[in-house]
Amino acid sequence: MREFGFELRLCARLEAGGVPGLASDDGAGEPGNADAGVVARQLGTSVHAAGGRIVDTVCVLPGPEFETRVALASDAIPLPAIEAEVGVGRFRRVTSVFDDPPERARRLAERGREAGFLELDRQNGQTVVRQTGRYPDWVGGLVGVENKPDLGRPGDLEWQTRHDASLGVLDYAVVATESHVTRAHLNRLPDAVGVWRVNFENEDASTSGADDPVDSPIEVIRKPERLDSAGPGLEVLDSKPGRTDVRPVTADAKARQRLRIAERAFGKGWRTYDLPACTEHESAAEADTETLPFCAYKDRLVDAAAECGPECPGYNPVDDEKAPVTDLDAERERNTAWRADAGGRRRQSGLGRFT
Ligand code: SF4
């Protein structure tokens, strides 16, 4: 299976059934499925190398105030808005709470307002700001999954997993594959990195409350070990035979990056795919999700942004007016705690994009 389709189907499974193979909080008892409070795709995790490491799938495990975050705002809240010395009750001058030049301070405040976290007003000729609600402690953990359906074509897998294990911005790192996993495969990965074997042909697998749930399509081959996400880390910038370039990362920088990742995951989710504007397009289902972009001509899920259009031999454009309306945000609302109208402001970008 191609990585794109594999990734979407796995996201649907994680959202519906949780993250398998994690130790219980106190380290006792059998590991079980942890609730994947938020599932998102394609998020950068590097601290120094912007855009350096893009993790395929990130799950944010719910922390103690997860519900408060859900109620606060539906979009990602920018880190500067969270970190600024803005309280909930009293309005304060924008230029006094952001440690930036006035123009940039106003832009940052505006971004916080657009996200629904800050409220702006004018008082005595000054722009003033306050929070719409206290920022909660909502992140219980970050799980990063690298999707490699075919371990015979590993690409940068060794570098990617070394980066994750060494930096420790995630709490757990996992490789997901359809391949048979050998001892040699495991030996090439850092010990802390878990491995799942995924077989979607376990079609009866149920994560949606059926009366008689059977096996999950995800088999835990090796459980991930908890990474040192609270301490300092080393970011692997480059790795060649005989030489690895690393750069230290402080615990504080990691904490800020973790919050940034969690917020991006919350705002983005995983239904960020385009839908083909082509008569060959059909909606496909996986677990509780029914909107996956399936192509009858290619008989598989397709990445519309990369594959669909006049260059495709099967392309047959749909009449704009007849194009089906697919509300991906509505499906996210049905299947998860997330709300498109959190904080009393309805998010605008709800409808699926047709390419
Ligand atoms: S454009 Fe090609 S790949 Fe896309 S839905 Fe149509 S036939 Fe399938």
Side-chain angles (χ1 to χ4, degrees):
M1 188 187 302
R2 294 184 177 222
E3 188 170 319
F4 181 78
F6 181 90
E7 187 167 303
L8 295 192
R9 295 179 75 176
L10 184 62
C11 284
R13 285 286 168 184
L14 295 172
E15 180 179 275
V19 186
L22 298 191
S24 57
D25 282 348
D26 59 4
E30 283 299 305
N33 283 22
D35 179 18
V38 178
V39 181
R41 297 172 49 231
Q42 301 293 318
L43 293 180
T45 58
S46 296
V47 174
H48 292 307
R53 169 77 174 108
I54 308 293
V55 175
D56 288 333
T57 304
V58 172
C59 299
V60 186
L61 309 178
E65 296 179 313
F66 182 76
E67 296 302 328
T68 309
R69 174 65 190 89
V70 168
L72 186 59
S74 51
D75 286 317
I77 300 173
L79 205 56
I82 297 169
E83 292 177 332
E85 299 277 322
V86 183
V88 175
R90 185 169 65 90
F91 277 107
R92 301 183 62 189
R93 281 206 336 263
V94 164
T95 48
S96 70
V97 293
F98 286 92
D99 195 15
D100 293 275
E103 197 48 43
R104 180 169 161 74
R106 277 189 280 273
R107 271 205 311 277
L108 292 173
E110 185 58 31
R111 283 178 55 208
R113 188 195 63 78
E114 287 166 5
F117 179 56
L118 298 181
E119 186 183 349
L120 301 187
D121 200 357
R122 294 283 293 174
Q123 290 181 359
N124 304 323
Q126 300 277 349
T127 305
V128 291
V129 61
R130 70 180 178 187
Q131 293 175 348
T132 56
R134 182 183 59 79
Y135 189 78
D137 173 16
W138 70 279
V139 180
L142 301 179
V143 182
V145 184
E146 190 59 32
N147 298 316
K148 284 281 181 277
D150 182 2
L151 286 179
R153 298 165 59 198
D156 290 332
L157 185 60
E158 282 187 52
W159 173 79
Q160 289 165 328
T161 52
R162 285 183 66 192
H163 180 284
D164 295 348
S166 169
L167 179 58
V169 127
L170 305 164
D171 295 282
Y172 297 97
V174 176
V175 174
T177 183
E178 283 186 310
S179 299
H180 172 66
V181 181
T182 66
R183 176 59 47 193
H185 288 132
L186 295 177
N187 288 344
R188 281 197 284 274
L189 302 174
D191 291 343
V193 174
V195 179
W196 298 337
R197 188 169 185 209
V198 185
N199 177 9
F200 289 113
E201 301 321 307
N202 272 350
E203 283 296 344
D204 293 332
S206 172
T207 47
S208 57
D211 290 333
D212 183 24
V214 296
D215 294 341
S216 162
I218 306 174
E219 178 190 1
V220 178
I221 303 292
R222 184 168 83 184
K223 286 178 285 198
E225 294 170 16
R226 187 180 273 281
L227 303 170
D228 178 17
S229 58
L234 285 176
E235 183 167 327
V236 178
L237 300 176
D238 197 12
S239 183
K240 298 189 180 75
R243 181 193 164 101
T244 300
D245 294 334
V246 297
R247 191 166 162 193
V249 179
T250 64
D252 185 51
K254 275 172 56 171
R256 299 183 76 238
Q257 183 67 340
R258 283 167 57 76
L259 194 52
R260 194 180 282 120
I261 293 166
E263 278 296 332
R264 283 182 185 153
F266 189 92
K268 195 175 174 191
W270 64 271
R271 292 176 177 83
T272 51
Y273 46 85
D274 290 342
L275 300 167
C278 170
T279 56
E280 296 296 318
H281 169 237
E282 299 170 5
S283 287
E286 183 73 42
D288 297 340
T289 293
E290 296 175 346
T291 58
L292 300 184
F294 180 82
C295 167
Y297 177 78
K298 295 192 173 175
D299 193 26
R300 60 172 172 78
L301 298 184
V302 286
D303 181 356
E307 300 182 69
C308 296
E311 303 78 34
C312 171
Y315 178 60
N316 185 21
V318 284
D319 190 332
D320 269 358
E321 287 173 11
K322 292 187 187 149
V325 174
T326 303
D327 190 338
L328 298 177
D329 276 358
E331 184 172 73
R332 185 178 178 190
E333 282 192 301
R334 274 196 303 278
N335 292 355
T336 74
W338 181 85
R339 292 288 164 262
D341 59 357
R345 311 165 73 253
R346 181 124 200 125
R347 177 150 107 164
Q348 294 300 310
S349 57
L351 300 185
R353 301 171 302 275
F354 287 85
T355 298

